[in-house]
Amino acid sequence: MSNTSTTAIAHPPASVADWLTGFLAELLDVTPDQIDPATGLDMLGVDSATTLVICAKARDELGVPLRPREVFDHFTVDALVRHLTARQPVGV
């Protein structure tokens, strides 16, 4: 019997997308409509330092642990939202 269980993030994908888009817009000093959810975050101006801020803010605002490697592995707003709202193992 496995001790690993899963839980879904408490926030629906649309609200996570809105949060992430708004946060990136504020962080990058652009308007939210300038954030194309299908564009690579690097093309939007996200770098390794910004990635650390995204990880900290996701933990604080969404209650979701996020590692920089996960941001780089899901490097668009759309992909990161899917990752953040996927079923995550508890305690990860």
Side-chain angles (χ1 to χ4, degrees):
M1 181 178 196
S2 172
N3 287 338
T4 303
S5 60
T6 59
T7 185
I9 186 172
H11 308 282
S15 72
V16 174
D18 289 344
W19 170 80
L20 184 57
T21 299
F23 177 65
L24 286 173
E26 180 181 322
L27 196 61
L28 300 171
D29 198 27
V30 298
T31 62
D33 63 333
Q34 291 177 286
I35 304 291
D36 179 357
T39 296
L41 296 178
D42 57 337
M43 298 301 291
L44 297 173
V46 172
D47 58 18
S48 57
T50 311
T51 298
L52 294 174
V53 175
I54 293 168
C55 292
K57 198 69 164 177
R59 182 192 64 236
D60 294 345
E61 295 291 321
L62 302 175
V64 177
L66 183 64
R67 297 180 189 133
R69 176 83 251 154
E70 294 171 290
V71 175
F72 289 115
D73 287 346
H74 305 90
F75 213 54
T76 66
V77 169
D78 284 341
L80 194 51
V81 167
R82 282 190 302 273
H83 177 69
L84 289 170
T85 58
R87 296 184 68 79
Q88 299 286 327
V90 173
V92 172

Coordinates of all heavy atoms in Angstrom, one line a residue:
M1 N 0.8 -1.2 0.0 CA 0.0 0.0 0.0 C 0.9 1.2 0.0 O 1.8 1.4 0.8 CB -0.9 0.0 1.2 CG -1.8 1.1 1.3 SD -2.8 0.8 2.8 CE -4.1 1.9 2.6
S2 N 0.6 2.2 -0.9 CA 1.4 3.4 -1.0 C 0.9 4.4 -0.1 O -0.2 4.6 0.2 CB 1.3 3.8 -2.5 OG 1.9 5.1 -2.6
N3 N 1.9 5.2 0.4 CA 1.6 6.3 1.3 C 1.4 7.6 0.5 O 1.1 8.7 1.1 CB 2.7 6.6 2.3 CG 2.7 5.5 3.4 OD1 1.7 4.9 3.6 ND2 3.8 5.3 4.1
T4 N 1.6 7.6 -0.8 CA 1.5 8.8 -1.6 C 0.1 8.9 -2.1 O -0.5 8.0 -2.7 CB 2.4 8.6 -2.9 OG1 3.8 8.4 -2.4 CG2 2.3 9.9 -3.7
S5 N -0.5 10.0 -1.8 CA -1.9 10.3 -2.3 C -1.7 11.6 -3.1 O -0.7 12.3 -3.2 CB -2.8 10.6 -1.1 OG -2.4 11.6 -0.3
T6 N -2.8 11.9 -3.9 CA -2.8 13.1 -4.7 C -3.9 14.0 -4.3 O -4.9 13.6 -3.8 CB -2.9 12.7 -6.2 OG1 -4.2 12.0 -6.4 CG2 -1.8 11.8 -6.7
T7 N -3.7 15.3 -4.7 CA -4.7 16.3 -4.4 C -4.6 17.3 -5.6 O -3.6 17.5 -6.1 CB -4.5 17.0 -3.1 OG1 -5.6 17.8 -2.9 CG2 -3.2 17.7 -3.0
A8 N -5.8 17.8 -5.9 CA -5.8 18.9 -7.0 C -5.6 20.2 -6.3 O -6.0 20.4 -5.2 CB -7.1 18.8 -7.7
I9 N -5.0 21.1 -7.0 CA -4.8 22.5 -6.5 C -6.2 23.0 -6.3 O -7.2 22.7 -7.0 CB -4.0 23.3 -7.5 CG1 -3.8 24.7 -7.0 CG2 -4.7 23.4 -8.9 CD1 -2.8 25.5 -7.8
A10 N -6.4 23.8 -5.3 CA -7.7 24.4 -4.9 C -8.2 25.5 -5.8 O -9.3 26.0 -5.7 CB -7.6 24.9 -3.5
H11 N -7.4 25.9 -6.8 CA -7.7 26.9 -7.7 C -8.0 26.4 -9.1 O -7.2 25.6 -9.6 CB -6.6 28.0 -7.8 CG -6.1 28.4 -6.4 ND1 -6.8 29.3 -5.7 CD2 -5.1 28.0 -5.7 CE1 -6.2 29.5 -4.5 NE2 -5.1 28.8 -4.5
P12 N -9.1 26.9 -9.7 CA -9.4 26.4 -11.1 C -8.3 27.0 -12.1 O -7.8 28.1 -11.8 CB -10.8 26.9 -11.4 CG -11.0 28.0 -10.4 CD -10.1 27.7 -9.2
P13 N -8.1 26.3 -13.2 CA -7.1 26.8 -14.2 C -7.3 28.2 -14.6 O -6.3 29.0 -14.7 CB -7.3 25.8 -15.3 CG -7.8 24.5 -14.7 CD -8.7 25.0 -13.6
A14 N -8.5 28.7 -14.8 CA -8.8 30.0 -15.3 C -8.3 31.0 -14.2 O -7.7 32.1 -14.6 CB -10.2 30.3 -15.6
S15 N -8.5 30.8 -13.0 CA -8.0 31.7 -11.9 C -6.5 31.7 -11.8 O -5.9 32.7 -11.6 CB -8.7 31.5 -10.6 OG -8.3 30.3 -10.0
V16 N -5.9 30.5 -12.0 CA -4.4 30.4 -11.9 C -3.9 31.2 -13.2 O -2.9 31.9 -13.0 CB -4.0 29.0 -11.9 CG1 -2.4 28.9 -12.0 CG2 -4.4 28.3 -10.6
A17 N -4.5 31.0 -14.3 CA -4.0 31.7 -15.5 C -4.1 33.2 -15.3 O -3.2 34.0 -15.7 CB -4.8 31.3 -16.7
D18 N -5.2 33.7 -14.8 CA -5.4 35.1 -14.5 C -4.3 35.6 -13.5 O -3.7 36.7 -13.7 CB -6.8 35.4 -14.0 CG -7.9 35.3 -15.0 OD1 -7.5 35.3 -16.2 OD2 -9.0 35.2 -14.6
W19 N -4.1 34.8 -12.4 CA -3.1 35.2 -11.4 C -1.7 35.3 -12.0 O -1.0 36.3 -11.9 CB -3.1 34.2 -10.2 CG -2.0 34.5 -9.4 CD1 -1.9 35.4 -8.4 CD2 -0.7 33.8 -9.4 NE1 -0.6 35.4 -7.8 CE2 0.1 34.4 -8.4 CE3 -0.2 32.7 -10.1 CZ2 1.4 34.0 -8.2 CZ3 1.1 32.3 -9.9 CH2 1.9 32.9 -8.9
L20 N -1.4 34.2 -12.8 CA 0.0 34.2 -13.3 C 0.2 35.3 -14.4 O 1.2 35.9 -14.4 CB 0.2 32.8 -13.9 CG 1.6 32.5 -14.5 CD1 2.7 32.8 -13.4 CD2 1.7 31.1 -15.0
T21 N -0.8 35.5 -15.2 CA -0.7 36.6 -16.2 C -0.5 37.9 -15.5 O 0.3 38.7 -15.9 CB -1.9 36.5 -17.2 OG1 -1.9 35.3 -17.8 CG2 -1.8 37.6 -18.2
G22 N -1.4 38.2 -14.6 CA -1.3 39.5 -13.8 C 0.0 39.6 -13.1 O 0.6 40.7 -13.1
F23 N 0.5 38.6 -12.5 CA 1.7 38.6 -11.7 C 2.9 38.9 -12.7 O 3.8 39.7 -12.4 CB 1.9 37.3 -10.9 CG 3.3 37.3 -10.2 CD1 3.5 38.2 -9.2 CD2 4.2 36.4 -10.6 CE1 4.8 38.2 -8.6 CE2 5.5 36.4 -9.9 CZ 5.7 37.3 -8.9
L24 N 2.9 38.1 -13.8 CA 4.0 38.3 -14.8 C 4.0 39.8 -15.3 O 5.0 40.4 -15.5 CB 3.9 37.3 -15.9 CG 4.4 35.9 -15.5 CD1 4.1 34.9 -16.7 CD2 5.8 35.9 -15.2
A25 N 2.8 40.2 -15.6 CA 2.6 41.6 -16.2 C 3.2 42.6 -15.2 O 4.0 43.5 -15.6 CB 1.2 41.9 -16.5
E26 N 2.9 42.5 -13.9 CA 3.4 43.4 -12.9 C 4.9 43.2 -12.8 O 5.6 44.2 -12.8 CB 2.7 43.0 -11.6 CG 3.2 43.9 -10.4 CD 2.5 43.5 -9.1 OE1 1.3 43.2 -9.1 OE2 3.2 43.6 -8.1
L27 N 5.4 42.0 -12.8 CA 6.8 41.8 -12.6 C 7.6 42.3 -13.8 O 8.7 42.8 -13.6 CB 7.0 40.3 -12.5 CG 8.3 39.7 -11.9 CD1 8.6 40.2 -10.5 CD2 8.3 38.2 -11.9
L28 N 7.1 42.2 -15.0 CA 7.8 42.5 -16.2 C 7.4 44.0 -16.7 O 7.9 44.4 -17.7 CB 7.5 41.5 -17.3 CG 7.9 40.1 -17.0 CD1 7.3 39.1 -18.1 CD2 9.4 40.0 -16.9
D29 N 6.6 44.6 -15.9 CA 6.2 46.0 -16.2 C 5.5 46.2 -17.6 O 5.9 47.0 -18.4 CB 7.4 47.0 -16.0 CG 6.9 48.4 -15.9 OD1 5.8 48.7 -15.4 OD2 7.7 49.3 -16.2
V30 N 4.6 45.3 -17.8 CA 3.8 45.3 -19.0 C 2.3 45.2 -18.6 O 2.0 44.9 -17.5 CB 4.2 44.2 -20.1 CG1 5.6 44.4 -20.5 CG2 3.9 42.9 -19.5
T31 N 1.4 45.3 -19.6 CA 0.0 45.1 -19.3 C -0.3 43.6 -19.4 O 0.3 42.9 -20.2 CB -0.9 46.0 -20.2 OG1 -0.7 45.6 -21.5 CG2 -0.7 47.4 -20.0
P32 N -1.3 43.1 -18.7 CA -1.7 41.7 -18.9 C -2.0 41.3 -20.3 O -1.7 40.1 -20.7 CB -2.9 41.5 -18.0 CG -2.7 42.6 -16.9 CD -2.1 43.8 -17.7
D33 N -2.5 42.1 -21.1 CA -2.8 41.8 -22.5 C -1.6 41.6 -23.3 O -1.7 41.1 -24.5 CB -3.9 42.7 -23.1 CG -3.4 44.1 -23.3 OD1 -2.5 44.6 -22.5 OD2 -3.9 44.8 -24.2
Q34 N -0.4 42.0 -22.8 CA 0.8 41.9 -23.5 C 1.5 40.5 -23.2 O 2.5 40.2 -23.8 CB 1.8 43.0 -23.2 CG 1.4 44.3 -23.7 CD 2.3 45.4 -23.3 OE1 2.3 45.9 -22.2 NE2 3.2 45.9 -24.2
I35 N 0.9 39.8 -22.3 CA 1.4 38.4 -22.0 C 0.6 37.4 -22.8 O -0.5 37.1 -22.6 CB 1.2 38.1 -20.5 CG1 1.8 39.2 -19.6 CG2 1.7 36.7 -20.2 CD1 3.3 39.2 -19.6
D36 N 1.3 36.9 -23.8 CA 0.7 35.8 -24.7 C 1.0 34.5 -24.0 O 2.1 34.1 -23.7 CB 1.4 35.8 -26.0 CG 0.9 34.7 -27.0 OD1 0.0 33.9 -26.5 OD2 1.4 34.7 -28.1
P37 N -0.1 33.8 -23.6 CA 0.1 32.5 -22.8 C 0.7 31.4 -23.5 O 1.2 30.4 -22.9 CB -1.4 32.2 -22.4 CG -2.3 32.9 -23.4 CD -1.5 34.1 -23.8
A38 N 0.9 31.5 -24.9 CA 1.6 30.5 -25.6 C 3.0 30.8 -26.0 O 3.7 30.0 -26.6 CB 0.8 30.2 -26.9
T39 N 3.5 32.0 -25.6 CA 4.8 32.5 -25.9 C 5.8 32.0 -24.8 O 5.4 32.0 -23.6 CB 4.9 34.0 -26.0 OG1 4.1 34.4 -27.1 CG2 6.3 34.5 -26.2
G40 N 6.9 31.6 -25.1 CA 7.9 31.2 -24.1 C 8.2 32.3 -23.2 O 8.3 33.4 -23.5
L41 N 8.3 31.9 -21.9 CA 8.5 32.9 -20.9 C 9.8 33.7 -21.1 O 9.9 34.9 -20.8 CB 8.5 32.2 -19.5 CG 7.2 31.6 -19.0 CD1 7.4 30.9 -17.7 CD2 6.1 32.6 -19.0
D42 N 10.8 33.0 -21.7 CA 12.1 33.8 -22.0 C 11.8 34.9 -23.0 O 12.4 35.9 -22.9 CB 13.2 32.8 -22.4 CG 12.8 32.0 -23.6 OD1 11.6 31.8 -23.9 OD2 13.7 31.5 -24.3
M43 N 10.9 34.6 -23.9 CA 10.6 35.7 -24.9 C 9.9 36.8 -24.3 O 9.8 37.9 -24.8 CB 9.8 35.1 -26.1 CG 10.6 34.0 -26.8 SD 12.1 34.5 -27.5 CE 11.5 35.6 -28.8
L44 N 9.2 36.6 -23.1 CA 8.5 37.6 -22.4 C 9.4 38.4 -21.5 O 9.0 39.5 -21.0 CB 7.4 37.0 -21.6 CG 6.3 36.3 -22.4 CD1 5.3 35.6 -21.5 CD2 5.5 37.3 -23.3
G45 N 10.6 37.9 -21.3 CA 11.6 38.6 -20.4 C 11.9 37.9 -19.1 O 12.5 38.4 -18.2
V46 N 11.3 36.6 -18.9 CA 11.6 35.9 -17.7 C 13.0 35.3 -17.8 O 13.4 34.7 -18.8 CB 10.5 34.8 -17.5 CG1 10.9 33.8 -16.4 CG2 9.2 35.4 -17.3
D47 N 13.8 35.5 -16.7 CA 15.1 34.9 -16.6 C 15.2 34.1 -15.4 O 14.2 33.8 -14.7 CB 16.2 36.0 -16.6 CG 16.0 37.0 -15.5 OD1 15.3 36.7 -14.5 OD2 16.6 38.1 -15.6
S48 N 16.4 33.6 -15.0 CA 16.5 32.7 -13.9 C 16.1 33.4 -12.6 O 15.5 32.8 -11.7 CB 17.9 32.1 -13.8 OG 18.9 33.1 -13.7
A49 N 16.5 34.6 -12.4 CA 16.1 35.4 -11.2 C 14.6 35.5 -11.1 O 14.0 35.3 -10.0 CB 16.8 36.7 -11.2
T50 N 13.9 35.8 -12.2 CA 12.5 36.0 -12.2 C 11.8 34.6 -11.9 O 10.8 34.6 -11.3 CB 12.0 36.5 -13.6 OG1 12.8 37.6 -14.0 CG2 10.6 36.9 -13.6
T51 N 12.4 33.6 -12.4 CA 11.9 32.2 -12.1 C 11.8 32.0 -10.6 O 10.8 31.4 -10.1 CB 12.7 31.2 -12.8 OG1 12.6 31.4 -14.2 CG2 12.2 29.8 -12.6
L52 N 12.8 32.4 -9.9 CA 12.8 32.2 -8.4 C 11.7 33.0 -7.8 O 11.1 32.5 -6.9 CB 14.2 32.6 -7.8 CG 15.4 31.8 -8.2 CD1 16.7 32.4 -7.7 CD2 15.2 30.4 -7.8
V53 N 11.4 34.2 -8.3 CA 10.3 35.0 -7.8 C 9.0 34.3 -8.1 O 8.1 34.2 -7.2 CB 10.4 36.4 -8.4 CG1 9.2 37.2 -7.9 CG2 11.7 37.1 -8.0
I54 N 8.8 33.7 -9.3 CA 7.6 33.0 -9.6 C 7.4 31.8 -8.7 O 6.3 31.6 -8.2 CB 7.7 32.5 -11.1 CG1 7.7 33.7 -12.1 CG2 6.5 31.6 -11.4 CD1 8.0 33.4 -13.5
C55 N 8.4 31.1 -8.4 CA 8.3 30.0 -7.5 C 7.9 30.4 -6.1 O 7.0 29.8 -5.5 CB 9.7 29.2 -7.4 SG 10.1 28.4 -9.0
A56 N 8.5 31.4 -5.6 CA 8.2 31.9 -4.2 C 6.7 32.4 -4.2 O 6.0 32.1 -3.3 CB 9.1 33.0 -3.8
K57 N 6.3 33.1 -5.2 CA 5.0 33.7 -5.3 C 3.9 32.6 -5.4 O 2.8 32.7 -4.8 CB 4.9 34.7 -6.4 CG 3.7 35.6 -6.3 CD 3.9 36.6 -5.1 CE 2.9 37.8 -5.2 NZ 3.0 38.7 -4.1
A58 N 4.2 31.6 -6.2 CA 3.3 30.5 -6.4 C 3.1 29.8 -5.1 O 1.9 29.4 -4.7 CB 3.8 29.5 -7.4
R59 N 4.1 29.6 -4.3 CA 4.0 29.0 -3.0 C 3.2 29.8 -2.1 O 2.3 29.4 -1.4 CB 5.4 28.7 -2.4 CG 5.4 28.1 -1.0 CD 6.7 28.1 -0.3 NE 7.1 29.5 0.0 CZ 8.2 30.1 -0.4 NH1 9.1 29.5 -1.2 NH2 8.4 31.4 -0.2
D60 N 3.5 31.2 -2.0 CA 2.8 32.1 -1.1 C 1.3 32.3 -1.5 O 0.5 32.3 -0.7 CB 3.5 33.4 -1.1 CG 4.9 33.3 -0.4 OD1 5.2 32.3 0.2 OD2 5.7 34.2 -0.6
E61 N 1.1 32.5 -2.8 CA -0.3 32.9 -3.3 C -1.2 31.7 -3.5 O -2.4 31.8 -3.3 CB -0.2 33.7 -4.5 CG 0.5 35.1 -4.4 CD -0.3 36.0 -3.5 OE1 -1.6 36.1 -3.7 OE2 0.3 36.7 -2.7
L62 N -0.6 30.6 -4.1 CA -1.4 29.4 -4.4 C -1.3 28.3 -3.5 O -2.0 27.3 -3.5 CB -1.0 29.0 -5.8 CG -1.2 30.0 -7.0 CD1 -0.7 29.4 -8.3 CD2 -2.6 30.5 -7.1
G63 N -0.2 28.3 -2.6 CA 0.0 27.2 -1.7 C 0.6 26.0 -2.4 O 0.4 24.9 -2.0
V64 N 1.2 26.2 -3.6 CA 1.7 25.2 -4.4 C 3.3 25.2 -4.4 O 3.8 26.3 -4.8 CB 1.2 25.3 -5.8 CG1 1.8 24.2 -6.7 CG2 -0.3 25.2 -5.8
P65 N 3.9 24.2 -4.0 CA 5.4 24.2 -4.1 C 5.8 24.1 -5.6 O 5.2 23.4 -6.4 CB 5.9 23.0 -3.4 CG 4.7 22.1 -3.3 CD 3.5 22.9 -3.4
L66 N 6.7 25.0 -6.0 CA 7.1 25.0 -7.4 C 8.6 25.2 -7.4 O 9.2 26.1 -6.8 CB 6.4 26.2 -8.1 CG 6.7 26.3 -9.6 CD1 6.2 25.1 -10.4 CD2 6.0 27.6 -10.1
R67 N 9.3 24.3 -8.2 CA 10.8 24.4 -8.3 C 11.1 25.1 -9.6 O 10.4 25.0 -10.6 CB 11.4 23.0 -8.3 CG 11.1 22.3 -7.0 CD 11.7 20.9 -7.0 NE 11.2 20.2 -5.8 CZ 10.8 19.0 -5.8 NH1 10.7 18.3 -6.9 NH2 10.3 18.4 -4.7
P68 N 12.3 25.8 -9.6 CA 12.7 26.5 -10.9 C 12.7 25.5 -12.0 O 12.3 25.9 -13.1 CB 14.1 27.0 -10.5 CG 14.0 27.2 -9.0 CD 13.2 26.1 -8.5
R69 N 13.2 24.3 -11.8 CA 13.2 23.3 -12.9 C 11.9 23.1 -13.5 O 11.7 22.9 -14.7 CB 13.8 22.0 -12.4 CG 13.9 20.9 -13.4 CD 15.1 21.0 -14.3 NE 14.7 21.4 -15.6 CZ 15.5 22.0 -16.5 NH1 16.7 22.3 -16.1 NH2 15.1 22.3 -17.6
E70 N 10.8 23.1 -12.7 CA 9.5 22.9 -13.2 C 9.0 24.1 -14.0 O 8.3 23.9 -15.0 CB 8.5 22.7 -12.0 CG 8.7 21.4 -11.2 CD 7.9 21.4 -10.0 OE1 8.2 22.1 -9.0 OE2 7.0 20.6 -9.9
V71 N 9.4 25.3 -13.7 CA 9.1 26.4 -14.5 C 9.8 26.3 -15.9 O 9.2 26.5 -16.9 CB 9.5 27.7 -13.8 CG1 9.3 28.9 -14.8 CG2 8.8 27.9 -12.5
F72 N 11.1 25.9 -15.9 CA 11.8 25.7 -17.1 C 11.2 24.6 -18.0 O 11.3 24.6 -19.2 CB 13.3 25.5 -16.9 CG 14.0 26.8 -16.4 CD1 14.5 26.9 -15.2 CD2 14.1 27.9 -17.2 CE1 15.2 28.0 -14.7 CE2 14.7 29.1 -16.8 CZ 15.2 29.1 -15.5
D73 N 10.7 23.6 -17.3 CA 10.1 22.4 -18.0 C 8.7 22.8 -18.6 O 8.2 22.1 -19.5 CB 10.0 21.2 -17.1 CG 11.3 20.5 -16.8 OD1 12.3 20.8 -17.5 OD2 11.3 19.7 -15.8
H74 N 8.1 23.8 -18.1 CA 6.7 24.2 -18.5 C 6.8 25.7 -18.8 O 6.3 26.5 -18.1 CB 5.7 23.9 -17.4 CG 5.7 22.5 -17.0 ND1 6.5 22.0 -16.0 CD2 5.1 21.4 -17.5 CE1 6.3 20.7 -15.9 NE2 5.5 20.3 -16.8
F75 N 7.5 26.1 -19.9 CA 8.0 27.4 -20.1 C 7.1 28.3 -20.9 O 7.5 29.2 -21.6 CB 9.4 27.4 -20.6 CG 10.3 28.5 -20.2 CD1 10.5 28.8 -18.8 CD2 10.9 29.3 -21.1 CE1 11.3 29.8 -18.4 CE2 11.7 30.4 -20.7 CZ 11.9 30.6 -19.3
T76 N 5.8 28.2 -20.8 CA 4.8 29.1 -21.3 C 3.8 29.3 -20.1 O 3.7 28.4 -19.3 CB 4.1 28.7 -22.5 OG1 3.3 27.5 -22.3 CG2 5.0 28.4 -23.7
V77 N 3.0 30.3 -20.2 CA 1.9 30.5 -19.2 C 1.0 29.3 -19.3 O 0.6 28.7 -18.2 CB 1.2 31.9 -19.4 CG1 -0.1 31.9 -18.5 CG2 2.1 33.0 -19.0
D78 N 0.6 29.0 -20.5 CA -0.4 27.8 -20.7 C 0.2 26.6 -20.0 O -0.5 25.9 -19.3 CB -0.7 27.6 -22.1 CG -1.6 28.6 -22.7 OD1 -2.3 29.3 -22.0 OD2 -1.6 28.7 -24.0
A79 N 1.4 26.2 -20.3 CA 2.0 25.0 -19.8 C 2.2 25.0 -18.3 O 1.9 24.0 -17.6 CB 3.3 24.7 -20.5
L80 N 2.6 26.2 -17.8 CA 2.8 26.3 -16.4 C 1.4 26.2 -15.6 O 1.3 25.6 -14.6 CB 3.5 27.6 -16.0 CG 4.1 27.7 -14.6 CD1 4.9 26.6 -14.2 CD2 4.9 29.0 -14.5
V81 N 0.4 26.8 -16.2 CA -1.0 26.7 -15.6 C -1.4 25.2 -15.5 O -1.9 24.7 -14.5 CB -2.0 27.6 -16.3 CG1 -3.4 27.2 -15.9 CG2 -1.7 29.0 -16.0
R82 N -1.2 24.5 -16.7 CA -1.6 23.1 -16.7 C -0.8 22.3 -15.6 O -1.4 21.5 -14.9 CB -1.3 22.5 -18.1 CG -2.4 22.8 -19.1 CD -2.2 22.0 -20.4 NE -0.9 22.2 -21.0 CZ -0.6 23.2 -21.9 NH1 -1.5 24.1 -22.2 NH2 0.6 23.2 -22.4
H83 N 0.5 22.6 -15.5 CA 1.3 22.0 -14.5 C 0.8 22.3 -13.1 O 0.7 21.4 -12.2 CB 2.8 22.4 -14.7 CG 3.7 21.8 -13.6 ND1 4.0 20.4 -13.6 CD2 4.3 22.4 -12.6 CE1 4.8 20.2 -12.5 NE2 5.0 21.4 -11.9
L84 N 0.6 23.6 -12.8 CA 0.2 24.0 -11.5 C -1.2 23.4 -11.1 O -1.5 23.3 -9.9 CB 0.2 25.5 -11.4 CG 1.5 26.2 -11.3 CD1 1.4 27.7 -11.5 CD2 2.3 25.8 -10.1
T85 N -2.1 23.2 -12.0 CA -3.4 22.7 -11.7 C -3.6 21.2 -11.9 O -4.6 20.7 -11.6 CB -4.5 23.5 -12.6 OG1 -4.2 23.3 -13.9 CG2 -4.5 24.9 -12.2
A86 N -2.5 20.5 -12.3 CA -2.5 19.1 -12.4 C -2.6 18.5 -11.0 O -2.2 19.1 -10.0 CB -1.3 18.6 -13.1
R87 N -3.0 17.3 -10.9 CA -3.0 16.6 -9.6 C -1.5 16.4 -9.2 O -0.7 15.8 -9.9 CB -3.7 15.3 -9.7 CG -5.2 15.5 -10.1 CD -6.0 14.2 -10.1 NE -6.1 13.6 -8.8 CZ -7.0 14.0 -7.9 NH1 -7.8 15.1 -8.2 NH2 -7.2 13.4 -6.8
Q88 N -1.3 16.9 -8.0 CA 0.1 16.9 -7.4 C 0.1 15.9 -6.2 O -0.8 15.8 -5.5 CB 0.4 18.3 -6.9 CG 0.5 19.3 -8.0 CD 1.6 19.2 -8.9 OE1 2.7 18.8 -8.5 NE2 1.5 19.5 -10.1
P89 N 1.2 15.2 -6.1 CA 1.4 14.4 -4.9 C 1.4 15.2 -3.6 O 2.0 16.3 -3.7 CB 2.7 13.6 -5.1 CG 3.0 13.8 -6.5 CD 2.3 15.0 -7.0
V90 N 0.7 14.8 -2.6 CA 0.7 15.5 -1.3 C 2.1 15.5 -0.8 O 2.8 14.5 -0.8 CB -0.3 14.9 -0.3 CG1 -0.2 15.6 1.0 CG2 -1.7 15.0 -0.8
G91 N 2.6 16.7 -0.2 CA 3.9 16.8 0.4 C 5.0 17.0 -0.6 O 6.2 17.0 -0.2
V92 N 4.7 17.2 -1.8 CA 5.8 17.4 -2.8 C 6.1 18.9 -2.9 O 5.2 19.7 -2.8 CB 5.4 16.9 -4.2 CG1 6.4 17.3 -5.2 CG2 5.3 15.4 -4.2

